Amino acid sequence: MRIVVTGGAGFIGSHVVDAYVDAGHEVLVIDNLSTGNAKNMNATARLEQIDIRDAQAVAQVFASFRPHVVNHHAAQIDIRRSVEDPVFDAEVNVIGSVNLMQQAVRNRAEGFIFASSGGAIYGETPHPAVETAAKAPISPYGAAKAAVENYLFAYRKTFGLNSVVLRYANVYGPRQDPAGEAGVVSIFTSALIAGGGVTIFGSGYQVRDYVFVVDVARANLLARDRLFSDMQTPRNPDESAFNIGSGRATSVNALYEELAKIIPASIAAVHAKSRPGELMESRLDITRGHAVLGFSPRVKLADGLLQTVAWQKNTKGTSGTRTR
Ligand SMILES: NC(=O)c1ccc[n+]([C@@H]2O[C@H](COP(=O)([O-])OP(=O)(O)OC[C@H]3O[C@@H](n4cnc5c(N)ncnc54)[C@H](O)[C@@H]3O)[C@@H](O)[C@H]2O)c1
């Protein structure tokens, strides 16, 4: 099957490309390499270095490749940048996404998979959020993710484009750029390996769900299967959505302690004032993904951290090329 993976030179997208190539699919990557790196990419996938905002370039690529499935991971992922420049964020994350949907319909693609964010659209979750929980995005980045989910529902109703939305928890693992804005695991690992200290914003008791990137890549295989299953027409956007996480909450302090043990490092973390807008609790209920997609996370946090540390030690964490 021909699959376009946008953002396939990035952290998560490159693992998704690996999973699709291993499953025998023909993969074309669309990526402008703004945060991604061609070095991340599977050698058998082709790269078109274009911007998803460039409707004409996207149209040309789609017309010649004629994908059966579009898997959309390209995004402006920096929440703080979305606050500083919401228009840029919306241009990439909303308009860029609509460009792709438009071409998916024009070229009769059979389905669309979208990387959304469980951490950014539910707001505070004192209890693990189920897919139908109220949406309360507090950043333009989260608002854009919710908007694209709504667009996909409208595209299903209006143009018949099938879609599956994966709402990720905090994804971590090899190829995550420690110089980036997201990814506390990557940032802590890189600092500790370099023998430096780590700053924890706030008390460190804020909890997150950390999910290993290879588990996330497998969820994308299951999402592809779902597109070709006997899917009922969704009655609302949540019916196409699945939380993808570990189903466990871990505090930033506990994460730091685990990493310090693995590396090993003895410098105590320094605490700084918490950052405005940061959530205290972000937890996902992953029951629906298990029941409908057959997804369950396989990699335990300690094992995933070991693999992440090993990768950073080998590469000195130099996968990213930031060009913004
Ligand atoms: N990392 C996480 O924990 C997490 C959590 C929830 C959702 N997500 C989503 O998963 C997706 C992948 O995130 P990631 O962590 O791998 O980030 P990443 O920065 O490594 O990957 C994003 C990729 O998109 C490309 N890109 C950015 N703007 C583009 C544009 N205008 N045109 C073409 N390509 C462009 C970048 O070069 C990069 O390769 C994003 O949609 C992100 O919002 C990530």
Side-chain angles (χ1 to χ4, degrees):
M1 185 168 282
R2 289 185 301 277
I3 305 183
V4 158
V5 179
T6 73
F11 161 50
I12 303 173
S14 65
H15 287 274
V16 173
V17 172
D18 287 345
Y20 284 153
V21 167
D22 289 349
H25 299 298
E26 187 186 347
V27 177
L28 182 139
V29 167
I30 290 180
D31 199 303
N32 69 355
L33 303 184
S34 55
T35 58
N37 190 321
K39 276 195 286 181
N40 284 338
M41 265 183 57
N42 192 294
T44 60
R46 201 172 96 213
L47 170 67
E48 289 285 352
Q49 191 179 340
I50 60 169
D51 196 302
I52 57 168
R53 289 170 294 171
D54 184 342
Q56 221 181 338
V58 171
Q60 273 169 9
V61 171
F62 271 62
S64 85
F65 187 66
R66 299 223 152 239
H68 297 102
V69 170
V70 180
N71 180 300
H72 180 29
H73 275 75
Q76 185 305 105
I77 65 154
D78 182 344
I79 292 185
R80 271 178 290 171
R81 188 170 188 195
S82 85
V83 173
E84 283 159 18
D85 193 350
V87 173
F88 173 74
D89 183 82
E91 280 167 359
V92 176
N93 290 352
V94 182
I95 303 296
S97 301
V98 176
N99 275 337
L100 296 165
M101 287 175 217
Q102 198 55 15
Q103 291 310 319
V105 169
R106 252 190 215 146
N107 292 282
R108 299 201 172 80
E110 289 167 65
F112 198 104
I113 297 166
F114 175 55
S116 185
S117 167
I121 66 170
Y122 296 120
E124 287 289 349
T125 55
H127 306 290
V130 292
E131 286 80 357
T132 48
K135 310 302 174 294
I138 56 170
S139 64
Y141 168 85
K145 290 292 186 194
V148 171
E149 291 193 11
N150 286 332
Y151 267 102
L152 280 170
F153 180 69
Y155 265 69
R156 173 69 186 86
K157 290 287 175 196
T158 311
F159 304 112
L161 179 65
N162 270 335
S163 52
V164 171
V165 169
L166 301 176
R167 293 180 185 152
Y168 298 154
N170 283 54
V171 189
Y172 73 96
R175 302 183 198 151
Q176 190 165 30
D177 184 357
E181 302 301 326
V184 66
V185 171
S186 181
I187 293 167
F188 282 7
T189 304
S190 154
L192 292 175
I193 289 175
V198 154
T199 303
I200 294 176
F201 294 99
S203 66
Y205 292 114
Q206 58 272 45
V207 297
R208 301 282 178 271
D209 177 321
Y210 296 99
V211 61
F212 192 57
V213 69
V214 174
D215 279 329
V216 169
R218 206 177 58 262
N220 280 269
L221 283 175
L222 297 168
R224 192 219 67 99
D225 295 346
R226 170 84 181 145
L227 285 172
F228 296 94
S229 66
D230 207 5
M231 243 167 56
Q232 307 249 315
T233 307
R235 286 163 299 180
N236 57 63
D238 290 336
E239 286 191 357
S240 306
F242 299 92
N243 291 335
I244 300 297
S246 68
R248 287 167 179 273
T250 305
S251 75
V252 176
N253 288 335
L255 179 77
Y256 170 76
E257 277 157 30
E258 189 68 41
L259 272 173
K261 217 163 49 187
I262 292 171
I263 288 177
S266 53
I267 307 175
V270 172
H271 287 262
K273 224 172 92 195
S274 62
R275 290 185 292 195
E278 202 186 341
L279 298 175
M280 267 316 283
E281 296 180 281
S282 178
R283 307 168 196 263
L284 298 183
D285 183 314
I286 58 170
T287 312
R288 182 171 140 79
H290 181 66
V292 180
L293 297 179
F295 172 77
S296 38
R298 292 181 184 162
V299 182
K300 293 206 176 76
L301 184 63
D303 296 334
L305 293 178
L306 261 175
Q307 292 188 48
T308 309
V309 168
W311 176 82
Q312 278 215 18
K313 282 187 172 165
N314 282 337
T315 60
K316 300 194 173 57
T318 53
S319 100
T321 49
R322 309 224 140 223
T323 55
R324 75 168 230 219

